[in-house]
Amino acid sequence: MNVAGFIFLLSLHLGVFQIGYGRNASTRPAVVNIGAMFNFDSIIGRVAKIAIDEALKDVNSNSSILKGTKLSVTLQDTNCNGFLGMVEALRYMATDVVAIIGPQCSVVAPIISHVASELRFPLLSFAATDPTLSSLQFPFFVRTAQSDLYQMTAVADIIDHYGWKEVIAIFIDDDWGRNGVSALNDKLAERRCKISYKVGIQPDSSVTQGAIMDILVKVALMQSRIVVLHLNQIVGFKVFSVANHLGMMGNGYVWIATDWLSLVLDSESPLPSETMDKIQGVLTLRQHTPDSDRKRAFFARWNRITGGSPQLNAYGLYAYDTVWLLANSLDAFFNQGGVLSFSNDSRISSMAGSALHLEAMSIFDDGVLLLKNILLSDFVGLTGPLKFNSDRSLILPAYDIINVIGTGIRQIGYWSNYSGLSTVSPETLYTRPQNRSSANQKLYSVIWPGETLSKPRGWVFPNNGKLLRIGVPNRVSYKEFVSQIRGTDMFKGFCIDVFTAAVNLLPYAVPYKFISFGDGRKNPSYTELVNKITAGEFDAVVGDIAIVTNRTRIVDFTQPYVSSGLVIVARLEKERSGAWAFLQPFSRRMWIVTGSFFLIVGIVVWILEHRINDEFRGPPKQQVITILWFSFSTMFFAHRENTMSTLGCLVLLLWLFVVLIINSSYTASLTSILTVEHLSSPIKGIQSLAATNEPIGYQEGSFAERYLSEELNISRSRLVSLGSPEAYALALKRGPGNGGVAAVVDERPYVELFLSSQCTFKVVG
């Protein structure tokens, strides 16, 4: 009876279990089913398949993990097709898998992520890098590689490091391509850069070279020469082939490819020489995996297994680590009492009986617990630390920066989210304080397209942009400053040289065209020229335009690059020396003062000496003669009388010192008068010029006319317009009495140029 009762209760228990909705397994099952979805025929897929098999062997042969439970992986080829991916994911759900490794393609991941969220099984993708997949919309999607958000941050840092401001983005026109470029645009905006032009290419590999050529022709018309390629390898190499045909792989261009190019270079090296020739000078990124003994050992093991074909790449390492990540998470899951329990979804059960057999799909009851253990993982794999941050992204993202040179590649540095660009490995930087200063951002030298070491400027003047209308005065005088080249619409001169030099220093293109202002027969009015800006006829004006108060009220000026101000130019008259030239060193007043002092000194000495000195005594007539003789003989230090009093000696000593100074000054002035030709002008300054009624010259078109008439109240009838330096010289030589002018008032730069060839005139006042 006891045996019969036990059998009855056991049968009843099994029957109830089968009638209910759940299908339970033991706490530590013998086998755990997981799925893997990727494109078997892709570069990533061929490597991932082998890497996953090797990881399964290592996990199942390791007794310290899962403790007797074996992992079983079912592989499905989705061919990066969203529909096939969804179908394969639904087929997995009928086999009670607890997790799926994959999908490989970012375009498939969102579709399968919706299924995973509904049925509560984790997706562990080692290759879907779309940055939007990290959002809360897909809670069961876990990325075991680096997000493109960090790759685009690295690209933005490279662009900012070299001082470029605008880039062109060419991308695959699907969710992965669009979202990657959107992330790049955001990161560039943070650095005050931007994508000036972006264009998508259809994701179908059958895109024709003609379609690509149409795109690149438009790119060649743009001002930016920095091109970022976010493509797959098939389309990417077609773009390089067409760009090489169009001559866009030469000097001046910069090509930055995301990690699709480094993936090909790592997996299929060496590439054919004709292919390498088309990508010379290109920069690309590669997901950084730190060097370690385990990694080197795995590479050696890989070569023994595969014979070097296919070659191992970073995504293969991430695929290997993903299996270990899942195994460690399952071990922790079982240690916490988790069971492989599945139940039917009531919403799906209501559709029972349909031809789709949706009722076969079940919910993983403890899927949330397994997901939690996955996100709490913390171990070191072949790719480095596998630990997730609060955004469910791997910590310490880093990339290698590679330059394609010759028949191979050269690593020029690293990028890490910790310290930015550096020539030192990220692992070394992690041991130092974080430093993102611009002075600490370094890369090795790059061989750019065209085999040049000089950093490309990054832009050219576009052929399809709106040209700024730059007004330029068409001068007929002082053409050294600005003038139009006869028979052309081009200009030359000092002002034009300054403008073009300034434009060439800008980190972006400024397309412009010069527009002549003036009839070419006389100098145009610069005030009218400036007013053309406010009227909208010109966007700017370049020329020898003085910064005047009334002009600054309506336009902005650059900093002045030549000396400014009005000066007076007058004719110099030669001072002739004659028979009375010896009197010219001193003025009349000076002669009178000097003679008076001679008499005064003689009288003072006589007063001090005549009482005690016999030489200063005698009849009055003799004493007057003595005073005069003594006074004037001291001029030549020829006085015969001796002074006996102390005060007399002191006065004589001081006077002789004064006489010495007078003699020296007189001698020097007379020598100058007799040996050097002297030129002078009766005009001493603007006040003396304004006080006369003589005519005054000014340059035609200059603001000097308004200044003289309105500010100095000089009658306009006195003002004479002069159109050239030759007219200046002729009018000044004639003088006011012969139809000329007394002086010319003009701006200092013109006067300095005028005086460089005219020596008979000078600036006065």
Side-chain angles (χ1 to χ4, degrees):
M1 289 295 294
N2 291 336
V3 175
F6 174 75
I7 295 174
F8 173 77
L9 291 175
L10 180 60
S11 302
L12 180 63
H13 174 73
L14 293 175
V16 172
F17 176 79
Q18 292 177 354
I19 294 173
Y21 289 105
R23 301 192 302 275
N24 296 323
S26 63
T27 303
R28 283 275 182 175
V31 177
V32 176
N33 294 321
I34 59 176
M37 303 171 59
F38 49 87
N39 183 3
F40 292 175
D41 195 32
S42 65
I43 293 178
I44 295 177
R46 288 192 293 269
V47 173
K49 187 175 184 299
I50 301 173
I52 291 174
D53 288 340
E54 293 305 307
L56 282 175
K57 293 177 183 177
D58 294 343
V59 169
N60 290 331
S61 63
N62 192 328
S63 59
S64 64
I65 190 170
L66 290 178
K67 299 176 179 61
T69 299
K70 301 298 183 182
L71 287 183
S72 176
V73 177
T74 304
L75 303 178
Q76 296 290 348
D77 186 3
T78 62
N79 197 28
C80 286
N81 184 285
F83 175 74
L84 292 179
M86 181 182 64
V87 171
E88 296 299 339
L90 295 177
R91 289 177 58 185
Y92 275 135
M93 295 308 98
T95 61
D96 293 340
V97 298
V98 298
I100 292 179
I101 297 176
Q104 170 188 331
C105 300
S106 296
V107 293
V108 180
I111 301 172
I112 303 178
S113 293
H114 287 295
V115 178
S117 299
E118 183 66 29
L119 301 180
R120 301 177 193 169
F121 62 90
L123 284 176
L124 290 84
S125 177
F126 58 88
T129 56
D130 186 340
T132 62
L133 293 173
S134 298
S135 67
L136 298 178
Q137 182 183 4
F138 309 112
F140 279 81
F141 178 85
V142 180
R143 193 195 328 265
T144 59
Q146 299 295 348
S147 168
D148 276 342
L149 176 66
Y150 299 111
Q151 180 171 207
M152 295 309 174
T153 305
V155 173
D157 276 348
I158 293 172
I159 292 168
D160 184 53
H161 173 70
Y162 288 110
W164 301 315
K165 295 300 179 183
E166 295 185 2
V167 303
I168 295 172
I170 303 177
F171 58 94
I172 287 293
D173 195 8
D174 57 16
D175 290 343
W176 171 73
R178 287 189 296 269
N179 293 333
V181 170
S182 178
L184 174 61
N185 193 43
D186 292 341
K187 293 302 177 181
L188 287 173
E190 293 175 5
R191 293 154 179 79
R192 296 186 178 182
C193 307
K194 67 176 183 178
I195 297 177
S196 59
Y197 180 71
K198 58 183 178 181
V199 57
I201 299 180
Q202 65 184 63
D204 190 354
S205 59
S206 63
V207 60
T208 64
Q209 288 193 341
I212 295 176
M213 183 171 292
D214 292 340
I215 291 173
L216 292 185
V217 167
K218 293 179 181 178
V219 169
L221 296 176
M222 302 296 167
Q223 72 178 34
S224 176
R225 285 294 181 260
I226 315 300
V227 185
V228 177
L229 297 181
H230 191 45
L231 306 168
N232 58 44
Q233 61 269 20
I234 298 176
V235 178
F237 281 104
K238 286 185 178 180
V239 169
F240 281 131
S241 177
V242 175
N244 190 73
H245 175 72
L246 294 176
M248 297 173 66
M249 299 299 297
N251 284 340
Y253 279 91
V254 176
W255 295 83
I256 303 176
T258 51
D259 63 350
W260 63 267
L261 179 57
S262 65
L263 176 66
V264 177
L265 294 172
D266 289 342
S267 304
E268 300 182 356
S269 181
L271 295 177
S273 59
E274 58 271 18
T275 302
M276 293 298 296
D277 291 342
K278 296 174 182 177
I279 58 175
Q280 292 297 301
V282 175
L283 294 182
T284 184
L285 288 87
R286 174 175 58 200
Q287 299 204 35
H288 174 74
T289 55
D291 194 19
S292 65
D293 293 337
R294 287 185 58 198
K295 179 180 172 181
R296 287 191 292 269
F298 189 77
F299 266 91
R301 172 183 169 186
W302 182 276
N303 291 330
R304 289 195 303 269
I305 295 171
T306 65
S309 180
Q311 299 177 35
L312 183 60
N313 55 49
Y315 287 102
L317 297 175
Y318 279 113
Y320 180 89
D321 281 351
T322 301
V323 176
W324 274 96
L325 174 67
L326 183 55
N328 282 290
S329 301
L330 283 169
D331 189 46
F333 170 80
F334 291 132
N335 290 337
Q336 295 169 6
V339 296
L340 303 185
S341 171
F342 301 89
S343 60
N344 293 333
D345 191 334
S346 59
R347 289 173 295 179
I348 298 178
S349 299
S350 62
M351 302 178 185
S354 67
L356 295 177
H357 300 290
L358 298 176
E359 68 278 2
M361 294 185 296
S362 56
I363 297 174
F364 181 20
D365 294 330
D366 281 343
V368 175
L369 179 60
L370 178 58
L371 175 65
K372 178 182 177 181
N373 281 284
I374 290 173
L375 296 177
L376 291 176
S377 297
D378 186 4
F379 71 98
V380 178
L382 297 180
T383 59
L386 269 78
K387 184 178 180 180
F388 298 94
N389 58 25
S390 58
D391 295 331
R392 294 185 296 143
S393 298
L394 290 176
I395 63 170
L396 305 178
Y399 285 85
D400 301 332
I401 303 174
I402 296 169
N403 185 202
V404 180
I405 302 174
T407 59
I409 59 176
R410 172 175 173 263
Q411 187 167 330
I412 62 170
Y414 306 88
W415 176 91
S416 69
N417 199 41
Y418 184 77
S419 295
L421 302 174
S422 175
T423 55
V424 181
S425 67
E427 290 70 39
T428 303
L429 296 176
Y430 296 149
T431 62
R432 304 174 184 175
Q434 187 174 15
N435 187 352
R436 294 297 296 263
S437 65
S438 57
N440 201 49
Q441 306 298 295
K442 298 178 181 178
L443 291 174
Y444 290 121
S445 60
V446 178
I447 297 181
W448 303 99
E451 298 183 358
T452 177
L453 288 172
S454 301
K455 185 198 76 173
R457 183 170 61 176
W459 59 270
V460 294
F461 292 108
N463 295 322
N464 63 343
K466 178 183 177 182
L467 301 179
L468 290 178
R469 297 163 299 173
I470 307 295
V472 183
N474 187 7
R475 295 189 60 89
V476 296
S477 63
Y478 296 111
K479 293 186 176 183
E480 292 85 351
F481 289 97
V482 59
S483 65
Q484 187 170 5
I485 300 176
R486 180 175 297 181
T488 70
D489 57 355
M490 301 174 64
F491 287 80
K492 65 179 182 179
F494 178 70
C495 297
I496 301 299
D497 293 341
V498 172
F499 173 78
T500 53
V503 168
N504 290 336
L505 290 175
L506 294 175
Y508 49 84
V510 179
Y512 63 88
K513 63 178 178 180
F514 289 135
I515 301 176
S516 176
F517 178 78
D519 56 12
R521 294 188 295 271
K522 63 179 181 178
N523 292 333
S525 170
Y526 281 17
T527 300
E528 293 181 11
L529 176 59
V530 170
N531 288 333
K532 294 291 184 181
I533 299 178
T534 59
E537 294 187 28
F538 296 142
D539 297 308
V541 168
V542 172
D544 49 336
I545 303 167
I547 303 175
V548 186
T549 303
N550 64 330
R551 296 175 185 171
T552 59
R553 295 191 181 104
I554 58 175
V555 296
D556 290 327
F557 284 85
T558 65
Q559 291 294 318
Y561 48 86
V562 291
S563 57
S564 60
L566 291 176
V567 294
I568 303 170
V569 182
R571 181 183 177 184
L572 299 176
E573 297 180 357
K574 183 177 180 181
E575 294 182 355
R576 301 182 180 274
S577 60
W580 299 95
F582 66 91
L583 297 177
Q584 293 179 6
F586 293 158
S587 64
R588 179 179 298 179
R589 181 177 298 179
M590 183 63 181
W591 281 117
I592 293 173
V593 172
T594 303
S596 299
F597 270 103
F598 273 105
L599 291 176
I600 292 172
V601 169
I603 293 171
V604 170
V605 172
W606 176 81
I607 293 173
L608 296 174
E609 293 289 332
H610 82 283
R611 292 182 181 180
I612 60 174
N613 192 340
D614 293 338
E615 294 183 1
F616 287 91
R617 291 181 180 182
K621 181 179 179 181
Q622 182 180 353
Q623 293 187 39
V624 171
I625 294 173
T626 300
I627 291 172
L628 294 175
W629 169 257
F630 181 83
S631 300
F632 290 102
S633 64
T634 56
M635 178 184 296
F636 309 103
F637 306 99
H639 54 284
R640 295 173 299 176
E641 294 77 12
N642 296 318
T643 54
M644 301 178 63
S645 66
T646 302
L647 290 176
C649 292
L650 179 61
V651 170
L652 182 61
L653 179 63
L654 295 175
W655 174 243
L656 290 177
F657 180 73
V658 173
V659 170
L660 176 64
I661 296 174
I662 293 174
N663 279 338
S664 300
S665 300
Y666 178 85
T667 303
S669 298
L670 182 61
T671 303
S672 176
I673 291 172
L674 296 177
T675 58
V676 179
E677 185 179 46
H678 275 245
L679 301 175
S680 65
S681 171
I683 300 172
K684 304 303 179 184
I686 190 65
Q687 289 80 11
S688 64
L689 182 62
T692 66
N693 291 320
E694 295 176 341
I696 303 172
Y698 67 91
Q699 184 180 174
E700 186 178 43
S702 172
F703 74 96
E705 178 189 13
R706 178 180 174 276
Y707 178 78
L708 293 172
S709 62
E710 297 183 10
E711 300 294 333
L712 301 182
N713 297 318
I714 298 176
S715 174
R716 289 185 181 271
S717 60
R718 293 178 55 192
L719 303 181
V720 179
S721 175
L722 302 173
S724 65
E726 293 76 16
Y728 283 19
L730 181 60
L732 288 171
K733 287 179 181 178
R734 286 180 176 177
N738 297 316
V741 296
V744 172
V745 177
D746 202 357
E747 299 172 51
R748 180 176 294 276
Y750 305 118
V751 171
E752 291 177 350
L753 187 59
F754 171 70
L755 294 180
S756 66
S757 60
Q758 297 289 341
C759 300
T760 58
F761 311 101
K762 75 171 185 177
V763 174
V764 298

